[in-house]
Amino acid sequence: MPARRGAPPSRTAVPRPRPAPRSYFRPGCRVLTGVTGEVVRDVLCGEFPPLLLREEVYATAALAGAAAYLGLRGAGAPDPAAITVAAGLVLALRLAAIFRDLHLPRLRRVPG
């Protein structure tokens, strides 16, 4: 028996899978992984881990990279370009901190 012509495509076609929605889950996980690695290192070394309140540029660089990625993706940049720019920013910040001995301002407690 020949196929009927004029049948609605929704009844004859195989449904397409829906594309995954864009989310901020992946960049957030990357920042969380970087920060958690710092905390584990500090705990194993016996130091108190204050995370973003350190002089060294660790989580701040990861946070700047995540913000750059999200900003570029929000502006419509393609994913490979956004990843490359964000990773380059993180690498540049870390290398500048290491080789130029750059630190974040130290927070001091006010007595009283």
Side-chain angles (χ1 to χ4, degrees):
M1 177 176 220
R4 292 195 298 166
R5 292 187 180 163
S10 61
R11 293 185 183 174
T12 59
V14 176
R16 290 184 177 172
R18 289 182 157 177
R22 291 276 180 205
S23 71
Y24 302 121
F25 182 72
R26 280 194 219 158
C29 283
R30 291 175 183 141
V31 171
L32 184 64
T33 301
V35 172
T36 304
E38 177 188 351
V39 171
V40 169
R41 179 190 60 89
D42 287 345
V43 168
L44 290 175
C45 292
E47 296 179 12
F48 177 72
L51 297 177
L52 292 172
L53 303 178
R54 297 183 62 106
E55 287 181 29
E56 292 87 12
V57 181
Y58 288 110
T60 309
L63 188 63
Y69 173 80
L70 292 175
L72 288 168
R73 289 298 295 156
D79 205 31
I83 290 171
T84 303
V85 170
L89 176 65
V90 173
L91 182 65
L93 288 173
R94 285 295 297 136
L95 289 176
I98 291 169
F99 291 114
R100 296 192 179 251
D101 199 30
L102 299 176
H103 299 283
L104 296 173
R106 175 178 280 179
L107 294 177
R108 297 190 178 138
R109 293 185 183 200
V110 178

